[in-house]
Amino acid sequence: MSAGSAEPYEVELAMKLDIEGLTVEYGQVAAVHGLNLTVGHGELVALVGPSGCGKTTTLGFITGFIRPKAGRVLFDGVDVTALAPQRRGIGYVFQDYAIYPHMTVRENIRFPLDAAKKERKQAERDVDEIAGLMGVGNLLARRPHQLSGGQRQRVALARALVKKPVILLLDEPLSNLDAHLRVEVRAEIRRLQLDLKMTTVFVTHDQSEAMAIADRVAVMSDGNIVALTAPATLYTRPPSLFSARFIGSPQINIWATDGPDEALARRVIQPLVRDGGAGLLVGVRPEDVEIGTGELEAVVTLTEPLGRDFLVHLTVGPSSIRVLVPAEEGQHLKLDDNVRMRIEPSRLHLFDAATGRRVEIDAAGARRLDESAQGDGGLAS
Amino acid sequence: MELVRLSGLQRLARAAAVGLALAFAVLPLLWVVSIAVRPGTQAVYPISILPTSLTLDNITGVLFASNGIGLGPYRNAAFYGLSSAVITAVASTLGGYALARYSMRSGEALLIVILALSFLPSASRIVPLFILTSATGLYGTAQAVILAYAAGSIPLGIWLMAGTFRQIPVRLEQAARIDGAGTVLTMRRVVLPLAIPGILVVATLAFIDGWNSFSLPLILIPKAAAQPYTVALQRYIQEIGYGINWPLLSAGSLVALLPVLSVFAILQRRLVRVGGLGGAIRG
C-alpha cells in the first residue's frame, strides 16, 4: 500500500485466483460439481450461463459466504478456503449495489478503510481520489436515495476499489441499468479494469455482455464450466452444443442427422463425412447461410427486420432454418417466396449427439472428437 | 397522497367514521382533563363537558398537599418503566436478530408461540410471579417489578424486532463483511443504525406498559415509598374517603398522561417511519 505516493492505484496487489474442485450440493443455492477455474493476474473472466447454473454460487465460494462440500480457493497460490470473508481483501459489486442507505456517499466509500482502521486523513484522501476516478466526486455529501441507478453503480464500484482489493468480483453489475447506460458503463468498467490491472470475475447471464468485456468467457451449465476460452473462439469454434446455442444471437440452427431434420442435416454434411453422419448434430449460424444461389430450395415463412439485417425464417421440407440477410436483400423477400440457399461446408459446426462435444472432420472424412472441449450432455441438456 | 378518488358523499362518510372513532378514543380523555381542572364542587353535577370555571387546585392538591401523593410515585413509575424499556430493547434486539437471521428448524413456530404468550392477560401472571419473587427473595424490590415488566414486554418486542431485521437486506451485512468489517463493526455501523426505528418502537411500548401497570406493582411492592403512581393514587383516593373523589383522581391521571404524550410527540416521526432503507436496493 503506497500511502501518499503519486500513483496510488497501481494495483500491484492483484492476485491470481484458483478454484480447485469446487463442489456445492443442492440447498439454498444452485449446485456446483467439481468446478475448476484459474483467473490470471489482471485477467477478466466472465462467468456466463442461464440462471441456476451455479455462477453466483461460485462467487459466493470465492467470497467465503458459501461453504463447499469439497474444493479449495487459492489467492496467489495461498489456500484461503478457511478464511472469513472479511479477511480475504476482496472487492465486490452486488447486483443491487447494496450501498449502506443510512450513510452518505463519502461514508459508504470510506467504510472499507474504516474497517481496516486506516488513518482518517489518508482515508479521506483515498476516498476523494477513487471518487474522482469513478466520477462521483461531486456526490460525496449525498445519500443513496438521492442517487440515480448509474450513480449508485459507480459508488458501489468505488467502495469495492478503494481498499485496493486483491480480486474484484462483479455480480451482474449492469443488469439494473437502462439499456443505453449498460453499454456505456460496461466499457468504463473494462477500461478501468485494464488500467488497474485488476484480477476480475464478472458474472452475467447476458452472453453479449460476457463476450464484449472478457479476456476469457467461461460458459456455465448445470453446475460446471462447459466452455472456457477467448470470446472470438467461443463464437467461431464453440466447443460444445450448449455453448454454441448459448453464445450468439439470433441462435444457431441445429439439426440432428437422425430424426425429423434428417434429410436436411445429412444433405448439408454430405461433402464432409464419408460414413453418412449418423449420431451427429449439425449447426450453422444464421449469418453463415447464403441466399439466392445453391441447390437447396426453401420457402419463406416469416421476415423480421432487425435494422441492419433481416432475420428470415425458412423451411426446407419439414425443417426450419433462421437466416440473417442484409436489409437490402431481406426487404424484397415475401411470405411463401421460394428461394435458393447454400451453406458453405467449412461454416458447419458438428457435435456428437450423445455427448454434445464438438466433432472435427479430418481431410479423410473421419470424425475426431475435439479434445479441448468438455461434453455437456448433448441433446439431453 | 390519495390512492383512490372519493366522491363527495364518500368523503362525508369517511369524515363521519373518522370522527366517530376519534370521539370514542378522545372524549373520555378530554373528560378527564375537563374534570381535573374544574373546582371539586362541579365534578359530578351539573353534567357538562366544558368546565364553567378553571382551577389548578386538584393538581397541586394531588402533588403537593400534605396528604397528597407527591412526585415520588411518578419517579418510581418512570424508573421501573425506563429500566424495563432498556432491558426489553436489548433482549428483543438480540432475540429478534437471532430469529430473523439464523434458520432454526422451529423458528417460525417459536415466533408464533412467543407472540401468543404476549397476549396472555397480565393478571394470569400475578400469582406465579408472587410465588417466584418470594422464593427468590426478590419480593418487594425494584428488580422484581422491572423484571416482571420486561418479561411481559419482551415477547412482542422480539416479534417486532424480528420483523425489523427481516426488512434489512442480508446483502448489506455481506457487503460489510466483504468491506472487511467483523461481527461487531457490522452490527454497530450497518445493522443497528438501520434497526433504530424498530428499537425505539419496542422501547416505547415497553415503557408505556410499565408506566401504566397497576396490578403487578400492587401485588409485588408492599412498601408505599416504592410504589408507582398507579398504586399510590388508588390508595390516596381510598384514604380520602367519601366515595371516589373524581377531580383529584382525574388530576392524578392527567399528570400521568403527560410523559406518555410527550414521548409520542417526540418520537412520532421516527415511530411512523420504519426503515429508512431507501436506496439500499435499486429503486
Side-chain angles (χ1 to χ4, degrees):
Chain A
M1 236 167 284
S2 47
S5 86
E7 298 236 312
Y9 281 95
E10 182 89 6
V11 185
E12 69 280 10
L13 285 169
M15 289 184 177
K16 178 171 156 253
L17 168 70
D18 286 288
I19 298 175
E20 294 177 354
L22 170 62
T23 300
V24 179
E25 292 194 318
Y26 285 103
Q28 286 168 331
V29 294
V32 172
H33 314 290
L35 178 142
N36 295 300
L37 176 66
T38 294
V39 183
H41 286 272
E43 187 186 23
L44 193 160
V45 168
L47 287 184
V48 64
S51 60
C53 70
K55 48 194 196 299
T56 303
T57 306
T58 306
L59 276 198
F61 174 61
I62 302 172
T63 56
F65 288 119
I66 289 175
R67 294 266 171 79
K69 187 182 175 231
R72 302 199 302 161
V73 55
L74 298 95
F75 292 177
D76 262 357
V78 177
D79 189 339
V80 297
T81 314
L83 213 57
Q86 63 265 33
R87 310 186 64 179
R88 295 192 180 192
I90 288 172
Y92 197 111
V93 175
F94 289 85
Q95 179 176 0
D96 51 21
Y97 315 139
I99 296 171
Y100 310 122
H102 55 299
M103 300 183 194
T104 63
V105 168
R106 173 178 289 285
E107 287 163 345
N108 261 282
I109 301 177
R110 203 182 61 214
F111 187 77
L113 304 177
D114 291 349
K117 298 196 170 65
K118 190 157 191 172
E119 188 258 324
R120 177 57 67 94
K121 268 190 190 155
Q122 181 59 44
E124 294 288 5
R125 274 200 295 272
D126 288 358
V127 170
D128 288 332
E129 181 151 0
I130 194 75
L133 195 65
M134 295 308 305
V136 293
N138 55 335
L139 306 174
L140 288 172
R142 299 239 186 127
R143 291 194 177 264
H145 66 88
Q146 299 169 303
L147 303 179
S148 70
Q151 290 168 335
R152 281 178 207 179
Q153 225 275 345
R154 286 156 203 266
V155 171
L157 210 55
R159 189 180 67 184
L161 289 172
V162 73
K163 64 178 174 193
K164 295 157 191 160
V166 298
I167 282 162
L168 182 61
L169 305 177
L170 306 171
D171 185 6
E172 305 252 7
L174 306 176
S175 62
N176 285 335
L177 297 178
D178 294 337
H180 67 279
L181 253 183
R182 215 173 291 166
V183 176
E184 198 179 301
V185 176
R186 183 178 76 196
E188 274 179 41
I189 289 179
R190 178 58 162 163
R191 212 172 293 135
L192 194 73
Q193 180 266 336
L194 288 170
D195 283 352
L196 305 182
K197 300 180 183 68
M198 284 298 319
T199 305
T200 305
V201 179
F202 184 104
V203 161
T204 176
H205 64 271
D206 180 342
Q207 47 98 8
S208 63
E209 203 170 283
M211 298 275 283
I213 203 169
D215 293 308
R216 285 189 300 155
V217 176
V219 181
M220 287 191 71
S221 167
D222 280 335
N224 218 326
I225 293 175
V226 293
L228 175 59
T229 173
T233 321
L234 194 59
Y235 190 76
T236 56
R237 254 182 113 255
S240 68
L241 177 67
F242 181 85
S243 39
R245 278 188 165 150
F246 195 76
I247 304 290
S249 174
Q251 214 183 28
I252 192 169
N253 297 287
I254 301 282
W255 306 297
T257 54
D258 310 293
D261 296 322
E262 184 170 344
L264 178 62
R266 294 203 183 227
R267 182 145 181 210
V268 297
I269 59 166
Q270 203 187 346
L272 282 178
V273 296
R274 289 228 178 111
D275 57 10
L280 284 180
L281 298 171
V282 182
V284 63
R285 295 213 179 266
E287 65 268 33
D288 291 335
V289 180
E290 254 182 276
I291 275 193
T293 63
E295 294 166 8
L296 287 165
E297 294 226 8
V299 181
V300 176
T301 59
L302 182 67
T303 64
E304 300 178 61
L306 302 180
R308 200 187 60 182
D309 297 308
F310 269 58
L311 179 61
V312 181
H313 298 254
L314 304 168
T315 54
V316 179
S319 307
S320 55
I321 170 167
R322 294 177 296 277
V323 182
L324 216 46
V325 178
E328 56 269 25
E329 292 174 38
Q331 62 194 348
H332 301 307
L333 293 174
K334 284 188 288 296
L335 213 63
D336 296 328
D337 275 359
N338 286 301
V339 293
R340 302 205 148 270
M341 66 170 225
R342 202 178 86 83
I343 298 167
E344 168 65 37
S346 64
R347 298 288 190 171
L348 292 175
H349 304 277
L350 302 184
F351 304 98
D352 186 274
T355 63
R357 287 171 67 170
R358 185 182 184 84
V359 173
E360 299 288 352
I361 306 291
D362 63 21
R367 296 184 199 182
R368 190 165 48 77
L369 278 180
D370 186 339
E371 292 306 325
S372 67
Q374 288 176 302
D376 55 25
L379 282 179
S381 61
Chain B
M1 218 192 322
E2 242 173 307
L3 297 174
V4 182
R5 283 203 168 277
L6 299 175
S7 72
L9 200 65
Q10 282 170 318
R11 231 178 270 221
L12 203 68
R14 186 180 60 173
V18 171
L20 201 66
L22 211 59
F24 190 73
V26 175
L27 267 186
L29 216 60
L30 290 180
W31 211 307
V32 167
V33 176
S34 165
I35 292 175
V37 296
R38 69 178 69 179
T41 51
Q42 300 173 6
V44 189
Y45 185 88
I47 297 173
S48 68
I49 289 188
L50 289 178
T52 46
S53 58
L54 295 177
T55 173
L56 287 176
D57 287 351
N58 300 318
I59 294 173
T60 51
V62 168
L63 294 182
F64 306 118
S66 57
N67 68 338
I69 63 171
L71 285 170
Y74 293 97
R75 241 189 339 260
N76 292 338
F79 174 65
Y80 301 150
L82 284 175
S83 304
S84 163
V86 170
I87 294 173
T88 301
V90 172
S92 303
T93 301
L94 296 174
Y97 185 82
L99 273 179
R101 284 290 191 261
Y102 298 108
S103 50
M104 280 179 261
R105 206 173 302 161
S106 49
E108 236 16 80
L110 195 60
L111 211 51
I112 303 235
V113 170
I114 287 172
L115 193 67
L117 284 178
S118 75
F119 291 138
L120 282 182
S122 66
S124 68
R125 300 190 294 137
I126 289 178
V127 174
L129 276 172
F130 174 76
I131 297 170
L132 208 62
T133 49
S134 306
T136 50
L138 286 176
Y139 178 73
T141 64
Q143 293 96 297
V145 238
I146 291 168
L147 287 176
Y149 285 180
S153 298
I154 286 171
L156 186 63
I158 289 181
W159 175 273
L160 290 173
M161 287 315 296
T164 300
F165 286 122
R166 279 186 183 152
Q167 282 184 22
I168 300 174
V170 182
R171 286 272 171 102
L172 291 177
E173 290 180 49
Q174 292 184 333
R177 292 292 173 136
I178 287 172
D179 284 343
T183 306
V184 174
L185 198 63
T186 303
M187 285 294 144
R188 197 163 56 82
R189 291 279 305 271
V190 176
V191 179
L192 288 181
L194 293 172
I196 279 179
I199 296 174
L200 280 178
V201 168
V202 167
T204 306
L205 290 179
F207 170 74
I208 290 170
D209 257 10
W211 176 260
N212 289 338
S213 189
F214 171 70
S215 44
L216 274 178
L218 180 70
I219 303 299
L220 295 180
I221 306 180
K223 204 167 70 183
Q227 282 170 345
Y229 76 89
T230 45
V231 179
L233 207 54
Q234 188 255 358
R235 188 170 35 81
Y236 167 66
I237 297 298
Q238 230 168 32
E239 281 167 5
I240 295 174
Y242 305 113
I244 295 172
N245 188 323
W246 290 108
L248 288 176
L249 183 57
S250 298
S253 303
L254 180 60
V255 174
L257 262 174
L258 296 177
V260 175
L261 289 180
S262 40
V263 164
F264 269 111
I266 294 165
L267 292 181
Q268 60 147 333
R269 294 198 61 170
R270 305 205 69 153
L271 292 177
V272 171
R273 187 180 33 157
V274 174
L277 289 177
I281 301 308
R282 80 186 120 133

